[in-house]
Amino acid sequence: MTLTNADINQEHMITIVLKRPLHNNGMTLFQYADAVIAKTQPILTHDEFIQHFGAESNTMQTVLDWAANNQLSVIESHNGCATIKVVGNIGQFNNLFNITLLTATDTDRTYITHDGAHVVPSTINNSVEFVLGLDNKNIFKPKYKIHDSSVPVPEIYYSNPVTPPQVATAYQLPAGDGTGGCIGLLEMTYSGYVAGYNTSDVNQSFSRLGLSPPMIVSYPVDGASISPTSDLESMLDIYCAGGVVPNATMVYYCGPNSDQGFYDIIMACANDTVNNPTALGISWGQTESTGFLESALATCVTKGIACFCSAGDDGASNLVPDYPASSPYSISAGGTNIGINVDGTLAGENAWTGSGSGATGGGESSIFTLPSWQNGISVKYTTGTTSTPTTRSY
């Protein structure tokens, strides 16, 4: 990787995340999301959410005035998202945030970063929660794995892959084809991994299942381009979700692969008043190091949007979970091997493990405290080269 001072005349966009007010009952957004999970507070509609947690007009105006006074162009302002997206040049952001922005050139991408911490201008400091886009070094991985036929599978389990409809039947999911419903899929794109889907590929995949393909709505975020060529993660997500509820509308939310892009994609889904998804599939993540998505995920919980996150396909040998799967506001979905009887019922199931082909992720969070619904759980774990498991109770 090489670092050079970024061209001061280069245009760049940042996302300014605003502070939210308390609910009328005195709860913070996170407290309210916890209460929704505990079923002690109701899910909010879009309008109710804006009434209680939308960024206040004076907060937004403070940042809008600051942007205008500093010749920044506002390209999006949304009180439900509590974000204001502005475009300026590198020189302006250097001066405003007291940093030197750098251009990083890596093997498969070029991005903006900087050394040290940025300083939010005092004029807007009391109105701003955090700023995204000044450092885009973080990259997130798609969580698909290519099947390794050399890995032995217990006899009880299928030697051939099962289909989504078979899995739905084995798990006794409620009957229905998703008519009238909507599912969101989160996808990320950059020069090293271009995301997209091809309609012909989708049609052929569902034809093999004997199903009509789902209606897919493309929803680019932050100027991302959605490729007409299919990538593996996108096709896997469309195939698995659509194979269970083929008549549900599927919204393909796709944005740049960065902290900023990840946050903005989730907020786009959470505030989509046209498609109104009730679930969001997130098959992207990285080793847990920060919780920058928490307010976005809590927004989804408060609005009744279930976020299903891949647990990661790197196993649990390092005991470090993936994020956002480790978030208490997501539903972490890990891989298993299953067997299915002739009548379609579940014959058996165990955690997915394998050498060279990945394994379902896991580990203890280093940034989130134990949620109340995990109290009383005992788990077995090993450390170092010790083969004898130790039991730890919570």
Side-chain angles (χ1 to χ4, degrees):
M1 182 182 69
T2 59
L3 292 172
T4 58
N5 286 349
D7 179 358
I8 61 172
N9 295 312
Q10 176 186 336
E11 280 199 341
H12 187 64
M13 186 193 80
I14 63 172
T15 299
I16 301 172
V17 182
L18 306 176
K19 293 182 178 179
R20 294 186 183 272
L22 300 178
H23 188 282
N24 289 353
N25 64 13
M27 286 182 169
T28 66
L29 172 61
F30 297 110
Q31 290 170 334
Y32 195 92
D34 292 341
V36 168
I37 293 172
K39 298 183 179 181
T40 58
Q41 291 292 334
I43 290 169
L44 301 180
T45 66
H46 289 296
D47 289 341
E48 290 170 339
F49 183 87
I50 289 176
Q51 174 188 349
H52 293 288
F53 292 116
E56 295 177 326
S57 57
N58 60 337
T59 299
M60 297 189 71
Q61 195 59 52
T62 296
V63 177
L64 291 172
D65 289 344
W66 168 82
N69 292 336
N70 288 283
Q71 291 76 53
L72 300 174
S73 299
V74 176
I75 62 170
E76 184 179 305
S77 175
H78 196 292
N79 60 345
C81 292
T83 56
I84 294 177
K85 299 178 185 180
V86 300
V87 171
N89 61 46
I90 296 296
Q92 289 173 298
F93 291 137
N94 283 345
N95 293 330
L96 291 170
F97 293 95
N98 194 29
I99 52 176
T100 298
L101 290 171
L102 306 170
T103 298
T105 303
D106 214 335
T107 54
D108 59 0
R109 63 178 181 136
T110 299
Y111 59 94
I112 291 296
T113 186
H114 61 86
D115 288 329
H118 65 268
V119 178
V120 176
S122 58
T123 308
I124 60 172
N125 186 54
N126 291 333
S127 301
V128 174
E129 193 70 40
F130 51 88
V131 177
L132 295 170
L134 295 173
D135 187 353
N136 290 330
K137 67 175 177 292
N138 285 339
I139 202 80
F140 301 87
K141 297 190 302 180
K143 295 302 177 178
Y144 69 84
K145 287 289 184 183
I146 304 297
H147 175 63
D148 184 351
S149 59
S150 67
V151 176
V153 179
E155 290 184 3
I156 189 173
Y157 304 116
Y158 272 12
S159 59
N160 296 317
V162 295
T163 65
Q166 286 177 307
V167 174
T169 299
Y171 282 163
Q172 300 180 6
L173 297 187
D177 58 10
T179 299
C182 179
I183 295 173
L185 299 178
L186 182 149
E187 308 295 343
M188 308 188 80
T189 188
Y190 77 109
S191 55
Y193 187 93
V194 178
Y197 62 93
N198 180 274
T199 301
S200 177
D201 293 339
V202 174
N203 292 344
Q204 290 182 44
S205 294
F206 282 84
S207 176
R208 288 196 293 269
L209 292 175
L211 298 172
S212 298
M215 183 179 78
I216 304 174
V217 177
S218 292
Y219 196 127
V221 177
D222 291 351
S225 295
I226 299 174
S227 173
T229 301
S230 302
D231 72 279
L232 289 173
E233 187 59 64
S234 294
M235 285 301 299
L236 180 64
D237 294 345
I238 293 170
Y239 179 75
C240 289
V244 176
V245 282
N247 283 352
T249 299
M250 203 166 291
V251 185
Y252 185 94
Y253 300 96
C254 184
N257 194 332
S258 64
D259 287 354
Q260 179 185 19
F262 212 151
Y263 189 91
D264 288 347
I265 299 170
I266 295 177
M267 293 309 295
C269 171
N271 291 277
D272 185 351
T273 58
V274 175
N275 300 295
N276 293 303
T278 54
L280 177 64
I282 303 176
S283 297
W284 294 74
Q286 67 172 4
T287 300
E288 181 186 75
S289 61
T290 179
F292 75 99
L293 294 172
E294 289 310 279
S295 60
L297 294 171
T299 295
C300 288
V301 169
T302 300
K303 291 188 173 186
I305 302 170
C307 294
F308 294 89
C309 298
S310 168
D313 300 338
D314 302 316
S317 59
N318 58 1
L319 299 181
V320 179
D322 259 33
Y323 183 75
S326 64
S327 169
Y329 299 119
S330 74
I331 300 169
S332 181
T336 61
N337 298 311
I338 67 171
I340 298 178
N341 295 313
V342 175
D343 62 0
T345 58
L346 188 66
E349 183 172 24
N350 68 3
W352 167 42
T353 60
S355 174
S357 63
T360 190
E364 294 183 42
S365 174
S366 61
I367 57 179
F368 300 114
T369 57
L370 190 75
S372 59
W373 59 86
Q374 290 184 347
N375 287 338
I377 292 177
S378 295
V379 297
K380 293 182 179 180
Y381 69 98
T382 59
T383 58
T385 57
T386 302
S387 59
T388 303
T390 300
T391 299
R392 180 183 295 176
S393 298
Y394 295 91

